[in-house]
C-alpha cells in the first residue's frame, strides 16, 4: 500500500484542521502554514475532537502520533512534503496564487490536493509549473471521521497523479472517489446544493421549520443513506423487477411540480438503460432480496448505535427505539402469569443479528454476555427493579460472572435465555442463566452471576427493600426445589 | 398514550405491506383489502422481512402478534377499524374514489391516513362525508424500520384528527412529523426530488456512474444525516458563530451555477434571521461544542455498527473502518519490542465511548467482556494467530471466562488492559486479563479465561502448531515467574 511519508497543510481552519488530525493520527508528520492568528487554537480544538473520537472508534493500536510543526513561511511548510493539502478560503484568485506558490516551493514529485468545494482544477492549475500533480481532494466535515474524498483532475492533471492519490487515502482511513469529469461543485456539493436550495424555499414559504425539516431527513432517508446511496436504495424499492421498473414507475414524476428544479433531464430509453446497466454493475451479483436484507441489517445496527447516543439517553431515531422498548417492557409486565415461575424463567428471545457475529458467522464473545445481562435485567424488572426504581437511586450491580461456552450461536439463529434463581438474601441474588438454541432447546452457553443490591449514589451495597424482597420470595421458594444445574460453583480450568 | 385498537389497510404493496407489518408486530389486528392476485404473497414477504428485522432490533419482549385477515370487500376490511391506512397506486382519481368508499363504510370517528407521496389532502378529501378525519400519513420504505410519518392535513382536516394521529404513532415505534402547510410532495419528497433530478443530470452528463454517486453519499453526508439533518449539521459547521455565520458565508453560493436548480430564494436578512431563530430553538440549549461531540459520538456508533454489517464482513464506511483497523494491527506488530513481555502485556487502550455506557454513565457489563476479548485477540496476534492464520482454518476459542467487577469505568474515562499468561500447553492458553483506570493504574475489572486451540472446520480441539508454540514459549517462561494475581481460580460467590 502506498503511504504518505510527510504531509503539509496550507490553511488550518475547520477543514484544514481535519486534514491535519487525519495525518497526525495515522502517524504522519505534518508541517502547517496558516498566517491566521487563531490558527493554532482552531487546529488544536479539531485535533482534540479527533483524538476523542478515535479513542472511541477503535480498539486497534494507534501509531505514535505524527509530529505537528507550525511554520513561519509557506515555503518552509511544503519543502519536503510528499502530500500537500491546500485548504484556504474559497476564492479562485487566492487559491490559484497559493497553489502556484506551493508548486514553486515543493518537490516536483509531491502531490498537491485542493480542498475546494467547487472550483475547477483546470482553473486552479493554470499558472503552475508542474500542473500535472494538482487535483481536487474534496473532503467532508468532520474530516477526521467522514471518509469521503472526491478526487477530481483538471485538463493538465496526469492519470498517474490521480492513481497514486487514490492509493494514499486508505492508509489514513479515507475513501477516494474519482469523479470522471470536472464540473463546478463536483458530485457531492451539487447534490447538497440542490437539496439546500429546495430546503430554503420550504423554510421561506413556512411549509415547515428547520427542526421539522431536519427530523424529516434523520428519521427517514438519512438512515438509508448512511449505508446505501440513492440509486441502490431505489433499486431495492423497485422490487424484483429492479432499477428499470423503478425508473418506469417514477419517471413521469419528473414533469410534476415537486421541486423548484424544473430544468429536468429527458429520461429517455437510453438514459434508463444506462442507469439500469450501471446499477446492475453496482449490485455486484447481489439479488434484490440480498440487498434488502443487508439494508435492513444495517438499519438495525444504526438504530441500535443511535440508541446508545447522547450519553446513553438515545438520540434521534435511537431515542425513539429506546422509548419504544420501554413501552414493550411495560406492556410485557402486565402479561406475565404466575405459573411461569415454576421452572427456570424464559426471559429473552433473540435472533443472532449480523452486528453480533464475527466474520466466521459465529456470535461474538461479548454478545453472549449482552444476552445474559438482558436476562438479568428482565428478572430485575419482574421483581420491581425497573426504570423508575433505578431512577430513585437503587439498583442491582453484577459483581461476578462465570461463563461457559458449550456450543456456538450462528448468524440468524433463534436463541432464548432462561434464568434460575440459585439463592437470594437481603443483598444478593445468585443467578444461573442459560442461552438455548430455540430449535433444539440445547444449552449453548451458561452464566453464573452474583448481583449485589446497591445505593447507586453512595456507591455501596445496601439492603433491598421489602417490596423487592417480597417479589423475590415466591420465585426463590420454587426455584430452591429445582435441581442445581451442572456448572454451578466451578472455577476456570476446573477438571470435570 | 393513545393506542390503535384495530387497523385496516387498503392496498397491500410494499408500502401497504410495511404498514401491515408495523401494526401486526405492535400487537394490533389488521384487516386488509387488496384485490391484486399477488397481494398476500407480497405482504407475506414484507412481514417475513419485518419479523427478521425486529428479532435483531430489540431484545425487548414483543407483544403477541396481531391477527391478519384478508377481506373480500373494502367495506368488510374497514368497518370496525379505528385507523385506516390507504396505500393504493398514486393516481388522484383512484385514491379519491377509494378514500370516499372508505369514508362511507367506516365508523365516523375512525382516522383515515393516506400513504400518498405527493397528492394534496384537500384534493383527496373533496368527496368525503367526514373529511375532517382524513390526513396524509406518508411513510418511508422500509416502513417497518424507518420511523418517519409526515402528517399533513387538508383544508377540511380538523386539528383534533391531526393531534390524535400524532399520538397514535409512538406506540407503534413511529415518529409523526406535522407539516404545517399542504404542498405537493410535502417536505421529504421535495428534498428527494430536487436531489434526484440533479443526480439524473450527473449520470446523463457522464460526470460519474450511479455507483460513484452512491459512494459519494454514503461515505459522507449520508452518515451525517442519519443522526442530524441539514440545518443542525450546518449550524455546527458554522463553528462558534453558529447558523447566521454559516448563512453569511455560504449565501453567495446560491447565485453560482452549482445545480440546475436556478430558481433560488432571496436569502435576505429576514430569511437569515428566521433560520437563525429556528435553529436556536432546535438546538434546545446545546452549545456548538456539545452538538459537535454528540455528532461525533453518533458517527462513531454508526461506523462501528456498519463494521458489523454484511454478516460481519463490514459494509460501506464500516468495511473501510475494518480494513483500516487491519492496517493498524499489522503496523503495530512491527513496533513490538521484546522487553515488553517481561511484565503483564499492555495490549488495549480505549476511552469509554458513549455507545458503551448505560444511562447512568457507567460502562455496560458486556462492554467489559468486549475489552477483555479484544485483549485476548491482541495476545493471539502477538503469537501469530492473526487474520491470515484464522482464514487458514485454525483459531483459539474461549471456552470459559470468570469476570470480577472491582470498580466502575465511566463515560470518557481512559482505560487500558493487561494480559498475564498463567499457563500454556499444546492446546490451551490460560489468561488473566485486567482492565485498569489509566489515570491511577487501579484495576477496575479482571477476567480469567481459558482458550482452546481448534480446527474451526472440524469444530474440535486441535494441537497448536510449532510456529505458534514457539512464540508462546518466551512469554510463558517469563510470565511463569510473575506472582499469581489475586482472583485466580475463584468461583462465583466464593468467600475471600
Amino acid at each position: 500500500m502506498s503511504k504518505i511519508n510527510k504531509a503539509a497543510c496550507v490553511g488550518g481552519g475547520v477543514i484544514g484542521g481535519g486534514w491535519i488530525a487525519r495525518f497526525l493520527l495515522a502517524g504522519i508528520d505534518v508541517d502547517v502554514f496558516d498566517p491566521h492568528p487563531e490558527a493554532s487554537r482552531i487546529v488544536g480544538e479539531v485535533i482534540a475532537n479527533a483524538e476523542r473520537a478515535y479513542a472511541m472508534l477503535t480498539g486497534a493500536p494507534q501509531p505514535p502520533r505524527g509530529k505537528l510543526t507550525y511554520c513561519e513561511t509557506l515555503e518552509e511548510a511544503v519543502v519536503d512534503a510528499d502530500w500537500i493539502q491546500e485548504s484556504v478560503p474559497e476564492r479562485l484568485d487566492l487559491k490559484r496564487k497559493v497553489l502556484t506558490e506551493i508548486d514553486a516551493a515543493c518537490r516536483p514529485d509531491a502531490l498537491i490536493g485542493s480542498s475546494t468545494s467547487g472550483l475547477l482544477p483546470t482553473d486552479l492549475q493554470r499558472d503552475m509549473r508542474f500542473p500535472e500533480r494538482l487535483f481536487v481532494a474534496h473532503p467532508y466535515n468532520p474530516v477526521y471521521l467522514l471518509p469521503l474524498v472526491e478526487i477530481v483532475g483538471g485538463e493538465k492533471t496526469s492519470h498517474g497523479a490521480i492513481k497514486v492519490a487514490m492509493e494514499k487515502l486508505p492508509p489514513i482511513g479515507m475513501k477516494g472517489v474519482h469523479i470522471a469529469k470536472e464540473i463546478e461543485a463536483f458530485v457531492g456539493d451539487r447534490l447538497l446544493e440542490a437539496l439546500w436550495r429546495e430546503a430554503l424555499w420550504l423554510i421561506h414559504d413556512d411549509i415547515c421549520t428547520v427542526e421539522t425539516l431536519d427530523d424529516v431527513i434523520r428519521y427517514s432517508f438519512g438512515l438509508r443513506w448512511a449505508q446505501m446511496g440513492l440509486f441502490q436504495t431505489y433499486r431495492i424499492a423497485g422490487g424484483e423487477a429492479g432499477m428499470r421498473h423503478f425508473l418506469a414507475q417514477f419517471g413521469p414524476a419528473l414533469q410534476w411540480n415537486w421541486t423548484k428544479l424544473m430544468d429536468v433531464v429527458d429520461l429517455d430509453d437510453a438514459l434508463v438503460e444506462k442507469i439500469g446497466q450501471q446499477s446492475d454493475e453496482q449490485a455486484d451479483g447481489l439479488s434484490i432480496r440480498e440487498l434488502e436484507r443487508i439494508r435492513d441489517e444495517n438499519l438495525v445496527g444504526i438504530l441500535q448505535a443511535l440508541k446508545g447516543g447522547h450519553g446513553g439517553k438515545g438520540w434521534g431515531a435511537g431515542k425513539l427505539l429506546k422509548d419504544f422498548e420501554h413501552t414493550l417492557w411495560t406492556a410485557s409486565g402486565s402479561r406475565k402469569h404466575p405459573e411461569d415461575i415454576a421452572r427456570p424463567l424464559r426471559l429473552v428471545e433473540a435472533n443472532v443479528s449480523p452486528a453480533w457475529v464475527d466474520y466466521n458467522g459465529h456470535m461474538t464473545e461479548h454478545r453472549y454476555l449482552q444476552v445474559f445481562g438482558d436476562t438479568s435485567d428482565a428478572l430485575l424488572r419482574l421483581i420491581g427493579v425497573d426504570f423508575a426504581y433505578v431512577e430513585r437511586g437503587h439498583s442491582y450491580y453484577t459483581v461476578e460472572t462465570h461463563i461457559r461456552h458449550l456450543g456456538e450461536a450462528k448468524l440468524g439463529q433463534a436463541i432464548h435465555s432462561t434464568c434460575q434463581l440459585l439463592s437470594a438474601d437481603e443483598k444478593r441474588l445468585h443467578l444461573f442463566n442459560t442461552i438455548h438454541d430455540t430449535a433444539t432447546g440445547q444449552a449453548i452457553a451458561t452464566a453464573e452471576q452474583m448481583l449485589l443490591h446497591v445505593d447507586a449514589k453512595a456507591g455501596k451495597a445496601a439492603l433491598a427493600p421489602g417490596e423487592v424482597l417480597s417479589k423475590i420470595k415466591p420465585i426463590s421458594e420454587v426455584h430452591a426445589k429445582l435441581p442445581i444445574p451442572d456448572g454451578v460453583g466451578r472455577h476456570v480450568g476446573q477438571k470435570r
Side-chain angles (χ1 to χ4, degrees), chain A:
Chain A
M1 205 148 34
S2 180
K3 279 191 173 177
I4 299 168
N5 293 308
K6 177 150 192 190
C9 287
V10 178
V14 171
I15 295 299
W19 276 107
I20 294 168
R22 270 277 176 197
F23 293 131
L24 291 177
L25 296 183
I28 299 164
D29 294 342
V30 188
D31 284 355
V32 176
F33 174 69
D34 189 335
H36 193 290
E38 298 266 34
S40 74
R41 180 184 65 78
I42 294 168
V43 169
E45 283 169 7
V46 177
I47 294 172
N49 276 352
E51 286 178 334
R52 183 172 172 277
Y54 272 48
M56 300 184 295
L57 180 66
T58 175
Q62 285 162 43
R65 202 65 36 90
K67 184 161 167 281
L68 172 64
T69 309
Y70 289 96
C71 300
E72 292 293 315
T73 64
L74 182 146
E75 289 70 22
E76 214 183 309
V78 305
V79 68
D80 57 356
D82 58 334
W83 182 300
I84 297 145
Q85 186 69 28
E86 168 277 309
S87 311
V88 304
E90 195 73 11
R91 292 190 343 248
L92 177 58
D93 56 343
L94 175 65
K95 281 198 184 273
R96 189 186 275 154
K97 177 173 164 288
V98 166
L99 287 165
T100 307
E101 284 172 23
I102 291 171
D103 176 56
C106 73
R107 287 172 14 202
D109 63 339
L111 296 174
I112 306 176
S114 169
S115 299
T116 179
S117 302
L119 299 172
L120 298 181
T122 293
D123 292 336
L124 294 173
Q125 70 195 166
R126 193 192 64 185
D127 301 338
M128 287 172 67
R129 199 169 42 130
F130 299 108
E132 67 278 2
R133 43 55 181 283
L134 180 280
F135 48 86
V136 166
H138 176 231
Y140 287 75
N141 186 42
V143 180
Y144 50 84
L145 279 178
L146 295 185
L148 186 73
V149 184
E150 288 176 283
I151 298 288
V152 196
E155 282 169 19
K156 298 187 194 157
T157 308
S158 74
H159 289 295
I162 299 281
K163 187 170 167 289
V164 178
M166 295 285 286
E167 288 169 4
K168 284 181 188 278
L169 291 170
I172 60 169
M174 299 188 91
K175 163 92 176 171
V177 158
H178 181 213
I179 308 302
K181 282 190 194 177
E182 65 179 328
I183 176 183
E184 282 159 321
F186 327 125
V187 171
D189 274 344
R190 283 195 87 87
L191 299 173
L192 283 170
E193 189 70 22
L195 190 137
W196 170 241
R197 293 182 185 192
E198 192 72 30
L200 289 177
W201 276 117
L202 293 168
I203 303 303
H204 176 268
D205 294 346
D206 293 318
I207 307 302
C208 62
T209 64
V210 302
E211 180 168 357
T212 299
L213 190 140
D214 278 0
D215 283 348
V216 165
I217 293 175
R218 71 195 184 121
Y219 288 95
S220 70
F221 59 83
L223 294 163
R224 293 196 299 225
W225 286 354
Q227 44 91 43
M228 288 182 188
L230 185 65
F231 287 97
Q232 188 97 289
T233 297
Y234 286 161
R235 181 184 181 90
I236 301 176
E240 285 143 33
M243 201 64 205
R244 290 165 186 84
H245 172 70
F246 175 84
L247 291 171
Q249 202 178 341
F250 288 87
L254 284 178
Q255 304 310 322
W256 301 347
N257 267 321
W258 272 21
T259 109
K260 300 270 181 175
L261 199 163
M262 291 309 295
D263 176 14
V264 293
V265 76
D266 182 11
L267 192 62
D268 57 12
D269 289 352
L271 183 52
V272 166
E273 190 47 33
K274 180 179 184 174
I275 293 174
Q277 270 185 24
Q278 291 184 356
S279 175
D280 290 348
E281 279 164 34
Q282 178 185 27
D284 200 21
L286 293 168
S287 70
I288 297 289
R289 183 50 50 94
E290 285 166 321
L291 286 170
E292 204 168 58
R293 295 195 158 191
I294 291 169
R295 176 198 66 189
D296 285 3
E297 291 161 10
N298 289 335
L299 290 175
V300 164
I302 291 168
L303 292 171
Q304 287 174 338
L306 292 176
K307 197 181 92 174
H310 203 194
K313 290 194 284 286
W315 182 262
K319 172 75 166 63
L320 196 72
L321 173 58
K322 201 177 177 77
D323 293 345
F324 181 54
E325 288 185 335
H326 192 155
T327 310
L328 292 176
W329 280 113
T330 307
S332 112
S334 62
R335 287 198 309 272
K336 279 285 167 204
H337 299 299
E339 64 265 33
D340 289 338
I341 68 166
R343 51 182 182 276
L345 307 165
R346 183 165 173 157
L347 291 173
V348 171
E349 311 281 331
N351 280 37
V352 179
S353 139
W356 287 15
V357 299
D358 57 30
Y359 55 99
N360 278 328
H362 299 153
M363 188 153 98
T364 311
E365 206 176 325
H366 71 273
R367 297 299 181 179
Y368 287 90
L369 186 54
Q370 183 173 352
V371 176
F372 286 130
D374 287 348
T375 305
S376 299
D377 283 351
L379 175 76
L380 292 178
R381 283 194 198 88
L382 276 186
I383 60 171
V385 180
D386 55 11
F387 293 95
Y389 185 89
V390 172
E391 269 175 17
R392 290 196 299 272
H394 286 74
S395 187
Y396 277 92
Y397 284 178
T398 305
V399 289
E400 225 179 335
T401 300
H402 177 240
I403 301 170
R404 296 179 313 148
H405 294 272
L406 309 173
E408 275 161 26
K410 295 193 176 66
L411 178 62
Q413 188 176 338
I415 57 176
H416 69 270
S417 70
T418 56
C419 170
Q420 179 170 343
L421 185 54
L422 296 171
S423 70
D425 62 22
E426 289 169 323
K427 283 186 183 169
R428 307 199 307 172
L429 290 175
H430 189 181
L431 308 179
F432 193 80
N433 295 337
T434 304
I435 294 174
H436 304 265
D437 174 10
T438 298
T440 66
Q442 278 204 312
I444 300 173
T446 69
E448 183 181 358
Q449 291 199 301
M450 187 67 75
L451 276 63
L452 193 64
H453 190 263
V454 293
D455 179 332
K457 280 169 209 155
K460 56 184 182 186
L463 298 181
E467 80 215 49
V468 168
L469 296 173
S470 69
K471 284 180 185 153
I472 294 172
K473 205 178 159 204
I475 304 174
S476 65
E477 278 175 3
V478 288
H479 282 208
K481 296 173 198 152
L482 296 171
I484 291 176
D486 189 36
V488 168
R490 291 179 63 85
H491 63 259
V492 171
Q494 186 174 339
K495 297 267 183 307
R496 300 215 121 239

